[in-house]
Amino acid sequence: MASTTIIVTGMTCGHCVSSVKEEISELPGVTDVRVDLESGRVEIDSTAPLSDEQIRAAVAEAGYEVVA
């Protein structure tokens, strides 16, 4: 199992959190996504490591940006 933590900017409400969780959850092997709205911190658990490109594309699809 792999775990990745990123910081996402632009989220302001529960709908934002849901959008980010939904897009990341669709990546192959993702088993859990936890989002902290206040800090922008997103923790992703997956069966195999995810590439930065995969994660950034999923977050961009939701309309947000990975900053760290």
Side-chain angles (χ1 to χ4, degrees):
M1 180 129 126
S3 185
T4 307
T5 301
I6 60 173
I7 304 295
V8 175
T9 60
M11 296 186 298
T12 59
C13 65
H15 180 266
C16 300
V17 169
S18 295
S19 296
V20 169
K21 283 178 85 168
E22 180 180 336
E23 292 298 332
I24 294 174
S25 293
E26 290 178 5
L27 293 173
V30 171
T31 57
D32 191 28
V33 180
R34 295 172 304 284
V35 180
D36 180 69
L37 176 60
E38 193 172 303
S39 67
R41 182 182 173 103
V42 180
E43 297 175 355
I44 307 161
D45 293 335
S46 56
T47 56
L50 300 167
S51 73
D52 287 346
E53 197 171 286
Q54 285 177 297
I55 295 170
R56 287 180 187 278
V59 171
E61 183 68 27
Y64 306 96
E65 183 180 357
V66 176
V67 294

